[in-house]
Amino acid sequence: MNDLIMNTLQRREKIIYLLGKENTVSVNKLSKLFKVSTVTIRNDLRHLEQKGCILRSYGGAMLNKAFAFDRPLQDKSRINSTIKNKIAQKAAEMVKDGDRIILDSGSTTAAMVPYLREKQNLIVFTNAINIAYDLSINTDIEVIIAGGNIRKKAFSISGPTVEQQLKMYHFNKLFLGVDGFDLSAGITTPNFGEASVNRVMCQVSGQIIAITDSSKFGRKSFCMIEKINPIETLITDSNIPKEYLTQLHTLGINVVIANL
């Protein structure tokens, strides 16, 4: 990927981050902040509007409330924590002794850790520093942690090094948390580096298991991870919209409901 494309992606991620903090931004402010023309900023905003991330307004833009923007992991962990815990427990039941699994970074995958401690002969690959640390006390679990660039907000590791490392292995199951789950847009996340790592995780896993609470349905985020079709199992709560449940069943996706 050339530098121009990378700079554009990074600038658009930063625009989303600013909107998450301030809710509205102006074209002139963004132009001065990023030292680019107002034409470039308007193109950025047009692109983000098409992605469903923002709503454009006169002279600027505001965050689309249905958009899943990047939050610190500590904040994510507090949102819908009871529901996430139930989903994590149900997800851990799908892990068998001797499995080779991936746990991506996220609050719901992190909640799986206490339910994995009785498992034996597991190999767990993760790009989450907190998950690796919490699993390392169990001598029956071999933990492989990704090497790369740390996203401090998310306690996660991303970058080309992680992607190359992942391609050396094959795993039974991937447990993938999501920020946005939309029938047309697919699975999305706010961070480009995280999305790129997640895509490789999907490629090296025999089974993709998405785990998400129902608040993520209908939300879109900036970066595409994968379309819905490759998912084999979705674990969620009973508040999943009926149209989603119907469509997922039509696609042959196994939907597991974690009772609250």
Side-chain angles (χ1 to χ4, degrees), residues 181 183 217 228 231 234 236 240 243-255:
F181 193 109
L183 290 174
F217 294 117
I228 303 298
I231 296 171
L234 168 69
T236 188
I240 178 173
E243 64 270 22
Y244 273 73
L245 190 59
T246 300
Q247 185 63 33
L248 292 170
H249 282 155
T250 301
L251 292 171
I253 296 171
N254 177 37
V255 179

Side-chain angles (χ1 to χ4, degrees), residues 24-252:
T24 61
V25 291
S26 71
V27 170
N28 290 335
K29 178 180 177 179
L30 292 174
S31 175
K32 292 175 183 176
L33 180 63
F34 295 111
K35 297 181 173 60
V36 295
S37 69
T38 56
V39 173
T40 297
I41 293 298
R42 288 193 179 94
N43 286 336
D44 288 338
L45 297 182
R46 188 178 301 111
H47 175 83
L48 294 173
E49 183 181 42
Q50 290 170 351
K51 289 278 190 178
C53 307
I54 67 168
L55 301 173
R56 295 174 71 189
S57 58
Y58 181 76
M62 65 183 67
L63 191 69
N64 183 351
K65 296 300 183 183
F67 173 73
F69 62 92
D70 211 3
R71 297 175 183 266
L73 183 64
Q74 298 96 321
D75 292 349
K76 287 184 177 181
S77 299
R78 289 190 289 266
I79 299 170
N80 297 329
S81 58
T82 301
I83 295 173
K84 289 178 179 178
N85 190 60
K86 292 290 186 181
I87 293 170
Q89 185 175 3
K90 186 66 71 172
E93 291 174 5
M94 299 188 68
V95 179
K96 307 303 180 186
D97 292 346
D99 268 349
R100 306 179 306 277
I101 69 171
I102 300 177
L103 299 181
D104 89 317
S105 62
S107 54
T108 309
T109 45
M112 290 176 63
V113 171
Y115 303 107
L116 296 176
R117 288 180 177 148
E118 300 302 317
K119 308 291 182 180
Q120 297 182 356
N121 301 318
L122 285 188
I123 297 177
V124 180
F125 182 101
T126 185
N127 66 325
I129 298 169
N130 56 312
I131 291 175
Y133 177 81
D134 290 341
L135 284 174
S136 64
I137 62 173
N138 190 324
T139 56
D140 285 322
I141 299 178
E142 179 181 343
V143 182
I144 306 172
I145 187 167
N149 304 318
I150 297 177
R151 287 183 61 218
K152 295 178 182 178
K153 180 190 293 187
F155 295 160
S156 69
I157 303 172
S158 61
T161 307
V162 184
E163 296 169 32
Q164 290 302 316
Q165 187 180 358
L166 273 164
K167 291 174 182 177
M168 297 169 59
Y169 304 104
H170 179 77
F171 298 90
N172 303 112
K173 298 161 187 169
L174 162 63
F175 292 90
L176 181 63
V178 303
D179 293 285
F181 193 109
D182 183 82
L183 290 174
S184 58
I187 306 170
T188 54
T189 189
N191 183 268
F192 173 79
E194 196 81 33
S196 186
V197 168
N198 288 159
R199 279 194 294 274
V200 179
M201 288 178 172
C202 292
Q203 293 167 12
V204 300
S205 300
Q207 185 178 0
I208 301 172
I209 303 167
I211 56 175
T212 181
D213 65 87
S214 57
S215 70
K216 308 295 177 58
F217 294 117
R219 287 190 179 183
K220 300 176 186 178
S221 202
F222 179 43
C223 300
M224 165 79 139
I225 297 173
E226 187 58 89
K227 287 292 187 180
I228 303 298
N229 305 66
I231 296 171
E232 183 168 316
T233 299
L234 168 69
I235 306 175
T236 188
D237 59 78
S238 56
N239 292 320
I240 178 173
K242 289 183 179 179
E243 64 270 22
Y244 273 73
L245 190 59
T246 300
Q247 185 63 33
L248 292 170
H249 282 155
T250 301
L251 292 171

